[in-house]
């Protein structure tokens, strides 16, 4: 009887083994697919929300910032230095619409007004996932911006660009990169100071020509902070730890020094250039010892003052190297 059914039994046994093998293969394939999926997830990385303390309180970033809008000129430079191209930015104070030294990196970036007059409707259109601004400029619209996207504000401007830079780095979840760039910059200033040696004892004067007045810059200004960090001396009247002095022509003697740098905020109508020429040709100015010694240098307003960020700071050091380290090159 058993022999009669043996062929059928053997056939069923073989079929069972084949099905089991197929089932095992399917399970292995499923496991492999799952493993591949997990590897893809790990390589992408699971984003962890983070909270930033800033000038307006605390803001939690729920997803990786990929569409960033920046509302200050120095903030734009910070983003570019950190390798982030914004989708929207306030226009440069001079330039059409960007400063010459960053225009090649800003192709395709949308203008969202200027620092003092932000275009909220345009920002809304851009659908940002992070907005970065400044309390000194945009405190009154912070609540509106916060309703569009997570918003982080630095406290103020002028000489504090390095502090702001680290705030922006944290907001972008790039704090380590920010620290690295600041360390590289600090090292550059230290190297400059070592090469300059006794030349740091020269008193550096900084003057700016505006369309309607003239300024003598002090230590709490963009250029002043950089000169101070390097270790340059300043004329006695420029040693103050404040921003600047609006000068009358009677104050031209206060501009004297061993080296004088001047720059002009020209907006296109020629007014600031007219003021510059008038003052440079004034007998009081021509009588300055620094003029007689031929140590007067015209530099870029954007680089030495208006842009106010990481890129401009390095370009200002380029200018200083040309003047003070030319013999070493």
């Amino acid at each position: 009887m058993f022999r009669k059914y043996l062929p059928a039994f053997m056939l069923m046994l073989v079929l069972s083994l084949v099905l089991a093998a197929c089932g095992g293969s399917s399970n292995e394939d499923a496991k492999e697919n799952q493993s591949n999926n997990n590897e893809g997830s790990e390589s992408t990385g699971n984003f962890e929300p983070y909270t930033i303390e800033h000038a307006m309180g605390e803001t939690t970033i729920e997803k990786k910032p990929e569409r960033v809008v920046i509302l200050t000129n120095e903030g734009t430079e910070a983003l570019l230095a950190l390798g982030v191209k914004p989708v929207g930015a306030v226009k440069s104070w001079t330039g059409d619409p960007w400063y010459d030294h960053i225009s090649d990196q800003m192709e395709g970036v949308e203008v969202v007004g200027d620092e003092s007059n932000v275009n909220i409707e345009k920002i809304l259109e851009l659908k940002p996932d992070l907005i970065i601004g400044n309390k000194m400029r945009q405190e009154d619209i912070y609540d509106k911006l916060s309703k569009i996207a997570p918003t982080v504000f630095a406290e103020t401007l002028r000489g504090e660009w390095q502090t702001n830079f680290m705030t922006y780095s944290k907001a972008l979840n790039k704090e380590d990169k920010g620290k690295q760039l600041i360390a590289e910059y600090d090292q550059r200033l230290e190297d400059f100071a070592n090469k300059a040696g006794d030349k740091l004892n020269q008193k550096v004067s900084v003057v700016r020509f505006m369309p309607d007045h003239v300024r003598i810059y002090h230590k709490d200004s963009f250029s002043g902070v950089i000169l101070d960090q390097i270790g340059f001396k300043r004329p006695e009247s420029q040693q103050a730890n404040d921003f600047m002095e609006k000068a009358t022509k009677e104050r031209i003697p206060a501009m004297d020094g061993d080296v004088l740098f001047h720059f002009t905020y020209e907006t296109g109508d020629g007014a600031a250039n007219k003021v510059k020429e008038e003052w440079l040709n004034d007998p009081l100015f021509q009588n300055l010892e620094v003029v007689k010694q031929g140590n007067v240098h015209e530099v870029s307003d954007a680089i030495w003052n208006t842009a106010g960020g990481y890129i401009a700071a390095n370009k200002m050091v380029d200018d200083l190297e040309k003047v003070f380290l030319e013999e070493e090159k």
Side-chain angles (χ1 to χ4, degrees), residues 90-103:
V90 290
K91 72 182 297 292
S92 300
W93 289 115
T94 56
D96 187 24
W98 316 115
Y99 297 122
D100 290 342
H101 68 279
I102 62 168
S103 60

PDB file of all heavy atoms in Angstrom, residues 90-103:
ATOM      1  N   VAL A  90      17.699  90.973   1.907  1.00  0.00           N
ATOM      2  CA  VAL A  90      17.547  92.416   1.717  1.00  0.00           C
ATOM      3  C   VAL A  90      18.656  92.892   0.799  1.00  0.00           C
ATOM      4  O   VAL A  90      19.774  92.369   0.818  1.00  0.00           O
ATOM      5  CB  VAL A  90      17.591  93.170   3.060  1.00  0.00           C
ATOM      6  CG1 VAL A  90      16.341  92.895   3.874  1.00  0.00           C
ATOM      7  CG2 VAL A  90      18.839  92.818   3.863  1.00  0.00           C
ATOM      8  N   LYS A  91      18.359  93.890  -0.026  1.00  0.00           N
ATOM      9  CA  LYS A  91      19.343  94.372  -0.988  1.00  0.00           C
ATOM     10  C   LYS A  91      20.504  95.045  -0.271  1.00  0.00           C
ATOM     11  O   LYS A  91      20.375  95.517   0.859  1.00  0.00           O
ATOM     12  CB  LYS A  91      18.701  95.341  -1.993  1.00  0.00           C
ATOM     13  CG  LYS A  91      18.341  96.707  -1.425  1.00  0.00           C
ATOM     14  CD  LYS A  91      17.673  97.605  -2.449  1.00  0.00           C
ATOM     15  CE  LYS A  91      18.574  97.910  -3.614  1.00  0.00           C
ATOM     16  NZ  LYS A  91      19.737  98.773  -3.232  1.00  0.00           N
ATOM     17  N   SER A  92      21.635  95.039  -0.919  1.00  0.00           N
ATOM     18  CA  SER A  92      22.794  95.735  -0.378  1.00  0.00           C
ATOM     19  C   SER A  92      22.520  97.242  -0.352  1.00  0.00           C
ATOM     20  O   SER A  92      21.765  97.757  -1.174  1.00  0.00           O
ATOM     21  CB  SER A  92      24.023  95.450  -1.247  1.00  0.00           C
ATOM     22  OG  SER A  92      24.318  94.060  -1.293  1.00  0.00           O
ATOM     23  N   TRP A  93      23.150  97.929   0.585  1.00  0.00           N
ATOM     24  CA  TRP A  93      22.930  99.373   0.696  1.00  0.00           C
ATOM     25  C   TRP A  93      23.388 100.101  -0.560  1.00  0.00           C
ATOM     26  O   TRP A  93      22.817 101.112  -0.963  1.00  0.00           O
ATOM     27  CB  TRP A  93      23.656  99.929   1.916  1.00  0.00           C
ATOM     28  CG  TRP A  93      23.055  99.531   3.226  1.00  0.00           C
ATOM     29  CD1 TRP A  93      23.631  98.752   4.183  1.00  0.00           C
ATOM     30  CD2 TRP A  93      21.756  99.879   3.731  1.00  0.00           C
ATOM     31  NE1 TRP A  93      22.773  98.599   5.254  1.00  0.00           N
ATOM     32  CE2 TRP A  93      21.624  99.279   5.007  1.00  0.00           C
ATOM     33  CE3 TRP A  93      20.700 100.640   3.227  1.00  0.00           C
ATOM     34  CZ2 TRP A  93      20.474  99.427   5.780  1.00  0.00           C
ATOM     35  CZ3 TRP A  93      19.560 100.779   4.003  1.00  0.00           C
ATOM     36  CH2 TRP A  93      19.455 100.176   5.266  1.00  0.00           C
ATOM     37  N   THR A  94      24.446  99.600  -1.174  1.00  0.00           N
ATOM     38  CA  THR A  94      24.880 100.101  -2.472  1.00  0.00           C
ATOM     39  C   THR A  94      25.067  98.897  -3.383  1.00  0.00           C
ATOM     40  O   THR A  94      25.319  97.787  -2.925  1.00  0.00           O
ATOM     41  CB  THR A  94      26.199 100.886  -2.372  1.00  0.00           C
ATOM     42  OG1 THR A  94      27.206 100.051  -1.772  1.00  0.00           O
ATOM     43  CG2 THR A  94      26.030 102.132  -1.537  1.00  0.00           C
ATOM     44  N   GLY A  95      24.928  99.090  -4.672  1.00  0.00           N
ATOM     45  CA  GLY A  95      24.992  97.969  -5.602  1.00  0.00           C
ATOM     46  C   GLY A  95      23.625  97.760  -6.228  1.00  0.00           C
ATOM     47  O   GLY A  95      22.626  98.332  -5.787  1.00  0.00           O
ATOM     48  N   ASP A  96      23.572  96.935  -7.264  1.00  0.00           N
ATOM     49  CA  ASP A  96      22.329  96.765  -8.014  1.00  0.00           C
ATOM     50  C   ASP A  96      22.069  95.292  -8.310  1.00  0.00           C
ATOM     51  O   ASP A  96      22.297  94.826  -9.429  1.00  0.00           O
ATOM     52  CB  ASP A  96      22.402  97.571  -9.316  1.00  0.00           C
ATOM     53  CG  ASP A  96      21.084  97.589 -10.076  1.00  0.00           C
ATOM     54  OD1 ASP A  96      20.031  97.389  -9.445  1.00  0.00           O
ATOM     55  OD2 ASP A  96      21.125  97.792 -11.301  1.00  0.00           O
ATOM     56  N   PRO A  97      21.493  94.518  -7.374  1.00  0.00           N
ATOM     57  CA  PRO A  97      21.132  94.958  -6.022  1.00  0.00           C
ATOM     58  C   PRO A  97      22.167  94.570  -4.963  1.00  0.00           C
ATOM     59  O   PRO A  97      21.973  94.843  -3.795  1.00  0.00           O
ATOM     60  CB  PRO A  97      19.830  94.189  -5.779  1.00  0.00           C
ATOM     61  CG  PRO A  97      20.042  92.888  -6.490  1.00  0.00           C
ATOM     62  CD  PRO A  97      20.896  93.207  -7.709  1.00  0.00           C
ATOM     63  N   TRP A  98      23.268  93.911  -5.389  1.00  0.00           N
ATOM     64  CA  TRP A  98      24.218  93.381  -4.402  1.00  0.00           C
ATOM     65  C   TRP A  98      25.562  94.099  -4.499  1.00  0.00           C
ATOM     66  O   TRP A  98      25.945  94.604  -5.549  1.00  0.00           O
ATOM     67  CB  TRP A  98      24.422  91.873  -4.613  1.00  0.00           C
ATOM     68  CG  TRP A  98      23.165  91.109  -4.861  1.00  0.00           C
ATOM     69  CD1 TRP A  98      22.820  90.444  -6.004  1.00  0.00           C
ATOM     70  CD2 TRP A  98      22.058  90.935  -3.964  1.00  0.00           C
ATOM     71  NE1 TRP A  98      21.583  89.872  -5.870  1.00  0.00           N
ATOM     72  CE2 TRP A  98      21.086  90.162  -4.634  1.00  0.00           C
ATOM     73  CE3 TRP A  98      21.795  91.372  -2.665  1.00  0.00           C
ATOM     74  CZ2 TRP A  98      19.871  89.805  -4.047  1.00  0.00           C
ATOM     75  CZ3 TRP A  98      20.594  91.021  -2.072  1.00  0.00           C
ATOM     76  CH2 TRP A  98      19.650  90.247  -2.756  1.00  0.00           C
ATOM     77  N   TYR A  99      26.297  94.090  -3.392  1.00  0.00           N
ATOM     78  CA  TYR A  99      27.658  94.600  -3.412  1.00  0.00           C
ATOM     79  C   TYR A  99      28.477  93.849  -4.466  1.00  0.00           C
ATOM     80  O   TYR A  99      28.278  92.647  -4.687  1.00  0.00           O
ATOM     81  CB  TYR A  99      28.337  94.419  -2.050  1.00  0.00           C
ATOM     82  CG  TYR A  99      27.692  95.178  -0.914  1.00  0.00           C
ATOM     83  CD1 TYR A  99      27.229  94.507   0.214  1.00  0.00           C
ATOM     84  CD2 TYR A  99      27.557  96.550  -0.953  1.00  0.00           C
ATOM     85  CE1 TYR A  99      26.652  95.191   1.265  1.00  0.00           C
ATOM     86  CE2 TYR A  99      26.975  97.252   0.096  1.00  0.00           C
ATOM     87  CZ  TYR A  99      26.521  96.560   1.195  1.00  0.00           C
ATOM     88  OH  TYR A  99      25.935  97.244   2.232  1.00  0.00           O
ATOM     89  N   ASP A 100      29.417  94.559  -5.061  1.00  0.00           N
ATOM     90  CA  ASP A 100      30.252  93.940  -6.094  1.00  0.00           C
ATOM     91  C   ASP A 100      30.975  92.699  -5.581  1.00  0.00           C
ATOM     92  O   ASP A 100      31.143  91.725  -6.321  1.00  0.00           O
ATOM     93  CB  ASP A 100      31.284  94.946  -6.621  1.00  0.00           C
ATOM     94  CG  ASP A 100      30.649  96.055  -7.443  1.00  0.00           C
ATOM     95  OD1 ASP A 100      29.502  95.874  -7.891  1.00  0.00           O
ATOM     96  OD2 ASP A 100      31.310  97.104  -7.631  1.00  0.00           O
ATOM     97  N   HIS A 101      31.404  92.731  -4.320  1.00  0.00           N
ATOM     98  CA  HIS A 101      32.227  91.627  -3.828  1.00  0.00           C
ATOM     99  C   HIS A 101      31.438  90.363  -3.493  1.00  0.00           C
ATOM    100  O   HIS A 101      32.035  89.330  -3.180  1.00  0.00           O
ATOM    101  CB  HIS A 101      33.069  92.074  -2.617  1.00  0.00           C
ATOM    102  CG  HIS A 101      32.269  92.367  -1.377  1.00  0.00           C
ATOM    103  ND1 HIS A 101      31.619  93.566  -1.178  1.00  0.00           N
ATOM    104  CD2 HIS A 101      32.023  91.617  -0.278  1.00  0.00           C
ATOM    105  CE1 HIS A 101      31.020  93.549  -0.012  1.00  0.00           C
ATOM    106  NE2 HIS A 101      31.245  92.377   0.558  1.00  0.00           N
ATOM    107  N   ILE A 102      30.092  90.419  -3.578  1.00  0.00           N
ATOM    108  CA  ILE A 102      29.301  89.195  -3.362  1.00  0.00           C
ATOM    109  C   ILE A 102      28.343  88.901  -4.515  1.00  0.00           C
ATOM    110  O   ILE A 102      27.674  87.867  -4.497  1.00  0.00           O
ATOM    111  CB  ILE A 102      28.481  89.259  -2.051  1.00  0.00           C
ATOM    112  CG1 ILE A 102      27.463  90.407  -2.100  1.00  0.00           C
ATOM    113  CG2 ILE A 102      29.389  89.357  -0.837  1.00  0.00           C
ATOM    114  CD1 ILE A 102      26.433  90.354  -0.975  1.00  0.00           C
ATOM    115  N   SER A 103      28.279  89.773  -5.500  1.00  0.00           N
ATOM    116  CA  SER A 103      27.258  89.635  -6.543  1.00  0.00           C
ATOM    117  C   SER A 103      27.336  88.307  -7.281  1.00  0.00           C
ATOM    118  O   SER A 103      26.310  87.741  -7.665  1.00  0.00           O
ATOM    119  CB  SER A 103      27.355  90.796  -7.533  1.00  0.00           C
ATOM    120  OG  SER A 103      28.621  90.826  -8.155  1.00  0.00           O
TER     121      SER A 103
END
